Amino acid sequence: MKPLALAKLRLVFALSLPVALGGAIAAPTNSQVTGSSTPLTVRADVQEADARTGIVTARGNVQINYPSRDIQATSNQAQYFSNERRLVLTGNVYVLQEGNSIRGEVVTYLIDEGVFVAQPLPNRQVESIYLIPENTKPDRPSAPDAPPIQ
């Protein structure tokens, strides 16, 4: 397998790990997928919207707040591709969702799928921190009672 393909496969596995461990990164709810409008607030030094392409670009000190998905993010630039419902954050990206976080150079959020894909700078790594609930059950079941002696 080529190194780049292997790296992408590892990234997909790493990003799917929190879902396998109990949904650390929240999946979209039915109302989020069916088209109900939920506000996503973007603050930046400069913002432009192209009505022809449906692309909104924000540059400089970008701050994003998406309360319905409990997402907060910062980056140097953000582009929202409205036709594809895809948000691409670039440059010193930090995403926080329900206490879980991702840091990378480029983080793409596929809104309908509720999936994050993160990429690092060359020769660097992506960092993710996931909250994993502690197991409150005992490690081993207690020994069964011995049968009565007859």
Side-chain angles (χ1 to χ4, degrees):
M1 186 176 267
K2 293 182 180 180
L4 183 58
L6 185 58
K8 286 183 179 179
L9 182 61
R10 285 182 183 155
L11 176 64
V12 168
F13 175 73
L15 291 174
S16 64
L17 183 61
V19 174
L21 293 174
I25 299 290
T29 63
N30 194 30
S31 65
Q32 292 167 334
V33 174
T34 58
S36 64
S37 295
T38 56
L40 180 141
T41 303
V42 179
R43 290 181 176 82
D45 294 340
V46 176
Q47 295 188 43
E48 348 174 306
D50 186 329
R52 290 177 294 113
T53 63
I55 299 172
V56 178
T57 302
R59 284 189 303 277
N61 301 310
V62 177
Q63 298 175 11
I64 295 176
N65 187 23
Y66 194 5
S68 68
R69 305 253 179 124
D70 196 20
I71 296 173
Q72 297 173 7
T74 59
S75 66
N76 295 338
Q77 177 175 296
Q79 286 191 296
Y80 174 60
F81 297 82
S82 62
N83 295 334
E84 301 154 23
R85 295 181 44 85
R86 176 172 52 108
L87 180 64
V88 179
L89 307 170
T90 55
N92 196 29
V93 180
Y94 177 72
V95 178
L96 179 66
Q97 183 184 39
E98 296 178 1
N100 304 296
S101 66
I102 296 175
R103 288 185 189 276
E105 182 60 17
V106 178
V107 175
T108 302
Y109 180 56
L110 307 174
I111 294 171
D112 292 333
E113 291 85 5
V115 172
F116 291 94
V117 178
Q119 299 171 334
L121 284 168
N123 302 315
R124 300 285 303 268
Q125 292 184 313
V126 173
E127 177 186 86
S128 298
I129 299 173
Y130 301 110
L131 299 177
I132 300 173
E134 291 297 321
N135 185 359
T136 57
K137 296 179 184 176
D139 290 339
R140 292 184 232 160
S142 59
D145 292 333
I149 299 176
Q150 297 181 0

